Amino acid sequence: MNAMEELRAARPAHLADGPIDPRTRQTELAHAFAQPRQSPRRGGKPLTWGLGLAGAAAAVTAVVLVGAPAQGPTPVVSPTASGAATRPVTLSAKEVLLVAATSAERQPAATGDYWHVSSRSRSLQPVNEGFVISIEQESESWVGAGEQWGSGRTLAVKPATDADRAVWEKAGSPRELTFAGRKRIPIKESGGKPYTGHTKSEEIFWLGRNVTMADVRNLPTEPEALKADLLRFYEGRDTESDAPMAEDAWLFRVTEGLITDMPVSPEVRAAAFRMLAGLPSVISLGQVTDAAGRTGTAIAIAGASQPKPGDTEEGVVQVRLIIDERSGRALARESVVVEPGGMQAGLEPGTVWNTTTILEAGWTGEHP
């Protein structure tokens, strides 16, 4: 039996002759990327094929499309040669992030005069009048050499659900509401007037500290080097307070911008995904839908953000990123209520307290 005949005989049954089902190629590829890289071996023992027969052929072109239940790892169905589905193959958070990294580094490098980001945000706020309001906003920003332009507007301030609207109407449909015990906000059923701003500063972006465009563009393109570079500024506490924060949680928070809306190269974004994949406490929460109706896989750090020591009135939330493995980008950042308290008092556990959805992020030659 020659080499080709040996390979043909070793081919799994679900990879029978003929075109390989895309989902099968995607499953093979996802698992291959999750395996540790092996160095060539010397000696008489045969080498293990790292990508498998289907994965090796698919490595150049395959993009993983995944589906998932509300909780748990993302399942990918592996079909048989006849098309009948076999048991699902699950993708861990590590596998999801490694596939996203491969998708990210395949994106073409782009340039332009301004880095442009368009986003929408939504937050839920219990008010003193006994119901919950939804505050929806949109914003755009353009960053050039040492300058930043921004615009935004409030889209709506209104009762969050039909039940909240019924309570609001029963209270006489007040046009101004009170929250956090003192702040007042007007009801706004439609978009308000836009606001604009312009600042001059070299330090525009945030990576646990204020950084410049040059800092962002010169980040390391290898995961371990990127991790070491970021950790130079880790001091064992939260970036916004003196509350203790574990290293994994700190890296997760600082890395959010690299995979959502910062002007990094495809190689740096891929390194950021691979760095997150190497954090043992990163978990997959399954497939979710963001506020724009797009589906992706939610990842988070195991556990949740704890209140400050001694502050028993603050709630507990979990921050999650919604990843689109196909594009190698993060779609949104969400804060989910774990234990209501503070500004989340009155919200049910599992409620998406606030979300920022990235609609567009890229280079442009058009002046703001």
Side-chain angles (χ1 to χ4, degrees):
M1 185 180 291
N2 61 34
M4 290 305 298
E5 290 173 337
E6 288 182 310
L7 289 173
R8 191 175 295 111
R11 191 178 193 185
H14 68 280
L15 300 180
D17 290 339
I20 299 172
D21 186 280
R23 291 173 297 180
T24 301
R25 290 170 22 201
Q26 292 156 6
T27 301
E28 295 279 340
L29 184 63
H31 283 281
F33 286 146
Q35 305 307 313
R37 298 181 181 179
Q38 298 183 5
S39 301
R41 296 174 55 191
R42 297 180 183 272
K45 294 184 179 181
L47 296 177
T48 300
W49 287 87
L51 291 177
L53 298 178
V60 177
T61 58
V63 177
V64 174
L65 308 176
V66 296
Q71 297 292 331
T74 307
V76 178
V77 176
S78 178
T80 63
S82 64
T86 62
R87 65 178 180 83
V89 177
T90 59
L91 297 183
S92 65
K94 178 179 180 180
E95 291 169 324
V96 168
L97 288 164
L98 291 178
V99 172
T102 301
S103 299
E105 65 187 356
R106 289 187 183 138
Q107 299 300 317
T111 59
D113 297 323
Y114 307 98
W115 178 252
H116 173 245
V117 177
S118 174
S119 65
R120 285 191 179 184
S121 64
R122 178 177 182 266
S123 63
L124 300 182
Q125 181 60 60
V127 295
N128 292 5
E129 288 76 7
F131 56 94
V132 177
I133 59 172
S134 169
I135 305 172
E136 301 171 26
Q137 298 174 305
E138 66 178 8
S139 63
E140 287 189 89
S141 65
W142 294 261
V143 177
E147 292 186 272
Q148 181 178 24
W149 295 260
S151 68
R153 64 174 181 147
T154 299
L155 298 175
V157 180
K158 59 185 181 181
T161 66
D162 290 341
D164 292 309
R165 181 171 290 276
V167 176
W168 174 63
E169 291 174 349
K170 187 176 180 179
S173 303
R175 305 311 299 177
E176 193 173 62
L177 305 170
T178 308
F179 69 96
R182 60 188 183 281
K183 298 180 181 178
R184 300 193 66 80
I185 186 170
I187 284 285
K188 189 184 298 289
E189 298 275 3
S190 58
K193 294 182 179 180
Y195 56 85
T196 60
H198 173 226
T199 61
K200 290 188 176 183
S201 174
E202 291 293 332
E203 295 183 335
I204 293 177
F205 300 102
W206 182 88
L207 278 176
R209 66 195 190 283
N210 292 326
V211 295
T212 67
M213 175 78 79
D215 293 331
V216 171
R217 299 295 286 170
N218 291 322
L219 287 169
T221 58
E222 292 296 327
E224 288 304 318
L226 178 61
K227 181 178 180 179
D229 186 80
L230 296 176
L231 284 177
R232 290 184 298 132
F233 299 93
Y234 173 62
E235 298 178 345
R237 60 175 184 265
D238 191 353
T239 59
E240 302 301 316
S241 72
D242 291 330
M245 178 174 279
E247 183 178 293
D248 280 11
W250 189 90
L251 281 170
F252 188 85
R253 175 172 295 184
V254 170
T255 307
E256 290 173 14
L258 297 182
I259 59 177
T260 54
D261 59 359
M262 283 191 186
V264 298
S265 67
E267 293 79 12
V268 170
R269 184 166 288 111
F273 278 121
R274 291 191 174 103
M275 183 192 71
L276 291 179
L279 302 182
S281 59
V282 174
I283 59 174
S284 170
L285 302 175
Q287 181 174 295
V288 298
T289 303
D290 73 5
R294 304 169 299 184
T295 57
T297 303
I299 63 167
I301 292 291
S305 300
Q306 301 295 327
K308 299 176 184 178
D311 192 347
T312 58
E313 295 184 358
E314 290 297 320
V316 179
V317 300
Q318 183 178 61
V319 175
R320 67 187 188 185
L321 298 177
I322 301 178
I323 306 297
D324 177 15
E325 300 92 334
R326 297 165 295 182
S327 65
R329 297 293 289 266
L331 302 177
R333 177 191 186 275
E334 297 185 341
S335 295
V336 181
V337 176
V338 177
E339 295 180 12
M343 295 187 69
Q344 307 95 40
L347 298 178
E348 293 294 325
T351 301
V352 178
W353 172 43
N354 62 53
T355 178
T356 299
T357 305
I358 306 301
L359 302 178
E360 182 182 346
W363 291 100
T364 179
E366 296 183 6
H367 191 279

